[in-house]
Amino acid sequence: MSTAMRVLLVLAITIAAVTPHSCATVAQTIVNRDMTRADVERWLQELSNWGRWGAADELGAMNLITPTKRRLAARLVSDGVSVSLARDVEKSSAPDNPLPFVHTMLATGADEGQWCMDNYSVSFHGYAHSHIDALCHIFHEGKMYNGFSRDAVVPGGAQKLDIQNLKKGIFTRGVLIDVPRLRGVPYLEPGTAIYTEDLAAWERRAGVRVAAGDVLLIRTGRWARRDTVGPWSVDEQGAAGLHVSCAKWLRDRDIAILGSDAASDVMPSGIEGMSHPVHLLLLHSMGVHILDNLDLETLAESCAKRDRWSFLLTAAPLAVEGGTGSPLNPIATF
């Protein structure tokens, strides 16, 4: 047999050995990286959780955090060490913080009274302050999650899907995916996209599989980069984050909440007319609350030290009736 024939035979055997599943995965990857607005619109229907927990449901994927899930999460605590995932409040204006946290002292030690008192004011949506987005945070074609009308959000607040629905707090398993560590870099540059291959590769490396009811946290190293090169305008220079093609993977895993050290979406998104397609698909279609601007640096170090990437995750938003979200301080406990 000639050398050329041997090569052809090896190629034929190799192709025949590829399973239909692996072929589909490769094809899906190629399609996903070239997604269009029409693809996102289709996924809004295909990945939807509308009606899954009833027509009146306002909890969305929080329904996946069952009593059993909470009990299993509590068992993750072994050494009793807790780590905060909140960024220290940013009181100074910066390119990524045009509306800084305002801390005003009302009474101090210079006064003759017995008490010291202060006041906080924060516009928490944006790219600076650690917060959670309520399901009422985004509209699409006049609707919010589960088909509720945008008319339910009035000057007095959101009458449906507000943050008050999470008054009982969050108590479940958290899983960290450290993409810079996976890629061998200290942080991702703005505009760097994270794909499903990265998520799956991290599961294999870390030996943990994201499961129903988890809070999934994605580290891009945003704050490590900021500490190194200084703040930058996300609107002008972009941010590392999930490519919209990851949405199906997230739906398949049935996560309860998605969080990151930026805004989860890679920016620019690459989808015409949609600046935050991941936000749209998760909040609007899947009913998945989103945690933005977490500080995951200490958490990543703690996980690496233990070679353990899952933990008990607890958090409690402010009980604001009608609120579109809330500042909060999530805690990971090992």
Side-chain angles (χ1 to χ4, degrees):
M1 183 183 294
S2 68
T3 301
M5 288 297 291
R6 288 192 184 95
V7 172
L8 289 174
L9 179 59
V10 170
L11 286 174
I13 292 172
T14 303
I15 292 171
V18 177
T19 65
H21 174 76
S22 61
C23 287
T25 300
V26 172
Q28 186 65 46
T29 298
I30 294 172
V31 171
N32 283 347
R33 289 199 175 195
D34 194 30
M35 287 187 68
T36 66
R37 183 185 180 101
D39 294 321
V40 176
E41 295 283 358
R42 186 181 74 255
W43 273 10
L44 283 168
Q45 304 301 317
E46 294 179 0
L47 307 184
S48 175
N49 277 323
W50 289 21
R52 180 176 176 181
W53 296 286
D57 173 58
E58 296 186 48
L59 286 176
M62 284 291 293
N63 284 289
L64 297 166
I65 304 178
T66 63
T68 298
K69 183 71 177 182
R70 294 187 184 97
R71 288 194 297 269
L72 291 173
R75 295 175 189 172
L76 294 173
V77 178
S78 56
D79 57 14
V81 174
S82 292
V83 176
S84 170
L85 312 186
R87 178 75 175 175
D88 289 347
V89 297
E90 299 283 346
K91 297 182 181 181
S92 299
S93 181
D96 57 354
N97 187 25
L99 298 172
F101 187 99
V102 179
H103 180 198
T104 304
M105 295 303 298
L106 303 178
T108 70
D111 302 317
E112 295 183 0
Q114 184 178 2
W115 311 106
C116 61
M117 297 179 290
D118 50 7
N119 179 76
Y120 302 153
S121 177
V122 57
S123 298
F124 58 87
H125 288 298
Y127 304 117
H129 312 296
S130 299
H131 68 273
I132 186 169
D133 291 336
L135 298 183
C136 62
H137 182 46
I138 195 166
F139 305 127
H140 183 69
E141 295 183 346
K143 299 290 184 180
M144 299 181 289
Y145 167 73
N146 218 18
F148 291 109
S149 171
R150 67 180 298 152
D151 295 337
V153 182
V154 297
Q159 307 302 302
K160 295 290 183 181
L161 304 173
D162 65 336
I163 200 61
Q164 185 84 341
N165 287 310
L166 270 59
K167 183 178 180 179
K168 295 180 181 179
I170 300 162
F171 188 108
T172 189
R173 185 177 79 149
V175 175
L176 176 66
I177 294 182
D178 190 338
V179 182
R181 190 176 301 272
L182 176 69
R183 297 187 180 182
V185 296
Y187 47 76
L188 303 183
E189 292 295 335
T192 301
I194 299 166
Y195 297 98
T196 54
E197 301 97 301
D198 297 302
L199 307 182
W202 181 261
E203 282 189 323
R204 292 190 297 271
R205 171 172 169 169
V208 61
R209 181 178 174 85
V210 179
D214 284 346
V215 173
L216 177 60
L217 305 175
I218 308 293
R219 176 178 176 262
T220 71
R222 179 265 182 97
W223 297 112
R225 186 181 191 277
R226 192 180 193 269
D227 290 343
T228 301
V229 305
W232 69 93
S233 170
V234 175
D235 290 330
E236 294 178 2
Q237 299 179 46
L242 296 177
H243 187 263
V244 65
S245 58
C246 293
K248 188 178 186 306
W249 190 93
L250 300 175
R251 176 65 174 82
D252 290 343
R253 289 293 191 271
D254 242 356
I255 63 170
I257 298 173
L258 175 67
S260 80
D261 48 13
S264 289
D265 285 87
V266 64
M267 291 177 277
S269 71
I271 304 297
E272 183 179 359
M274 290 184 174
S275 62
H276 294 72
V278 173
H279 266 67
L280 177 63
L281 285 165
L282 270 72
L283 289 172
H284 183 271
S285 180
M286 302 182 209
V288 173
H289 291 76
I290 296 178
L291 297 163
D292 289 332
N293 308 318
L294 303 181
D295 192 330
L296 302 177
E297 297 306 301
T298 302
L299 176 63
E301 294 171 4
S302 299
C303 287
K305 176 182 177 181
R306 295 169 172 81
D307 192 23
R308 175 184 166 190
W309 304 91
S310 63
F311 36 82
L312 170 65
L313 192 288
T314 56
L318 298 176
V320 181
E321 185 176 359
T324 66
S326 172
L328 81 175
N329 177 19
I331 302 293
T333 302
F334 294 92

